[in-house]
Amino acid sequence: MAGPSRLLEVLEKYQGELLADWVTEQRALAGADPGAVKEPELRAECAEFLRLLVDAALAGEPGDLSGPAWMPVSDFLADLSRRRGQQGATPSETAAFVLSLKRPVFERLRRDAASDGLFDEIWSATQLLDRLGLYTTELHQKAREEVIARQSEEMLELSTPVVKLWDGILALPMIGTLDSNRTQVVMEALLQKIVETGSQVAIIDITGVPTVDTLVAQHLLKTVAAARLMGAECIISGIRPQIAQTIVHLAIDLGDVSTKATLADAFALALTRSGRRVTAAP
């Protein structure tokens, strides 16, 4: 910097006043929000940011935020953004930490410049542009969340294919954790395939399911019960030794559902139940 700017002069001269007004601004924005940052923590964050801001403005070019002098400021804001995100704050609420400093700063600039009319116009324009900018940020975030949600649904559908192994025999290989949302997708896909093919036997293969607990067992049983209502019997395959021990340890009752260690064993049982058998060629 060739010399201290008017902004830097205000930051240094009114640092105590700025801190008090800035904290008041943020408390007013938070209102009665129970998830708002407590005042002692907020005051400490504001004081730290003001100190870093003055140090960076003294050491580097104000417009070059990528310079080494501004690295502490960038690191502070990155850490603050992560913490605000973990606390459930929106992008606009997080950005308000910095933007709420503008009013206290502008008031001191106007006081020192003694040009009320001009600063009033600048402040009104700045507020409008800030609100528009934050609005686009919220819209962008919402659009990204919609894209991610849609991609997650598509991946979920792709991860639960229902395969026709033989006339009247379906297989549903499952990979990954089985939760309530996925159970619904699995159930709908299986029932739809049972209707389309008129199958009498469905094999649910859980070889790719990492763990089976009480909740997963309940999801499996719901799927089996729904398939039975459609006239199809289910066989659960992929019962590994660890899963068998877990089922016994948790006293999970699979009822009269047939279980097999491998998909091949389940397929052989399904063929038998459908009145078929596999024999070696002469």
Side-chain angles (χ1 to χ4, degrees):
M1 294 177 58
S5 67
R6 181 66 60 83
L7 173 61
L8 179 56
E9 291 177 0
V10 166
L11 290 174
E12 289 186 296
K13 180 179 179 181
Y14 299 109
Q15 193 163 348
E17 293 183 17
L18 288 172
L19 176 60
D21 286 359
W22 187 19
V23 171
T24 301
E25 283 279 325
Q26 294 190 66
R27 300 305 296 173
L29 289 173
D33 182 7
V37 180
K38 303 303 180 184
E39 184 163 340
E41 180 183 351
L42 179 61
R43 183 174 293 275
E45 291 175 342
C46 292
E48 176 69 6
F49 181 76
L50 279 176
R51 183 186 64 80
L52 294 174
L53 185 61
V54 171
D55 291 346
L58 284 170
E61 288 294 333
D64 184 17
L65 300 185
S66 62
W70 289 90
M71 190 64 67
V73 176
S74 300
D75 292 342
F76 175 89
L77 291 177
D79 181 63
L80 180 103
S81 298
R82 281 192 295 270
R83 284 187 280 111
R84 290 292 192 271
Q86 293 168 355
Q87 293 164 353
T90 66
S92 291
E93 290 170 343
T94 303
F97 175 82
V98 175
L99 296 179
S100 59
L101 177 59
K102 294 174 69 173
R103 181 187 291 276
V105 168
F106 266 64
E107 287 181 353
R108 271 72 188 181
L109 285 170
R110 181 175 59 184
R111 181 192 304 173
D112 284 4
S115 180
D116 295 348
L118 175 60
F119 272 93
D120 286 341
E121 293 295 329
I122 293 175
W123 176 244
S124 297
T126 300
Q127 281 188 307
L128 173 61
L129 294 175
D130 285 348
R131 285 195 293 269
L132 291 173
L134 290 175
Y135 180 64
T136 58
T137 300
E138 293 289 349
L139 291 179
H140 174 77
Q141 180 74 10
K142 183 178 180 180
R144 290 296 302 162
E145 290 174 352
E146 290 174 351
V147 170
I148 293 172
R150 185 172 66 253
Q151 291 175 340
S152 297
E153 291 176 0
E154 292 172 353
M155 291 178 64
L156 188 58
E157 293 173 356
L158 292 173
S159 67
T160 54
V162 182
V163 182
K164 182 178 179 180
L165 296 180
W166 206 272
D167 287 340
I169 301 176
L170 300 175
L172 177 61
M174 304 189 66
I175 300 174
T177 304
L178 188 62
D179 56 20
S180 298
N181 291 336
R182 191 173 183 201
T183 299
Q184 186 64 32
V185 175
V186 166
M187 195 180 299
E188 291 176 359
L190 180 59
L191 297 182
Q192 183 64 34
K193 202 69 173 181
I194 289 174
V195 172
E196 291 176 0
T197 61
S199 299
Q200 297 84 39
V201 182
I203 301 171
I204 301 176
D205 184 67
I206 62 172
T207 304
V209 177
T211 58
V212 173
D213 54 18
T214 305
L215 186 60
V216 171
Q218 290 175 353
H219 292 323
L220 288 173
L221 291 176
K222 287 179 181 178
T223 304
V224 171
R228 282 178 174 171
L229 290 174
M230 301 299 296
E233 287 297 318
C234 288
I235 303 170
I236 298 177
S237 65
I239 305 295
R240 305 184 298 278
Q242 300 89 333
I243 290 181
Q245 292 176 13
T246 301
I247 291 175
V248 172
H249 178 71
L250 296 176
I252 297 173
D253 183 13
L254 294 178
D256 57 350
V257 180
S258 299
T259 59
K260 290 295 181 180
T262 66
L263 179 59
D265 292 338
F267 183 45
L269 177 59
L271 287 172
T272 300
R273 288 189 174 179
S274 61
R276 302 180 181 90
R277 63 175 182 171
V278 177
T279 60

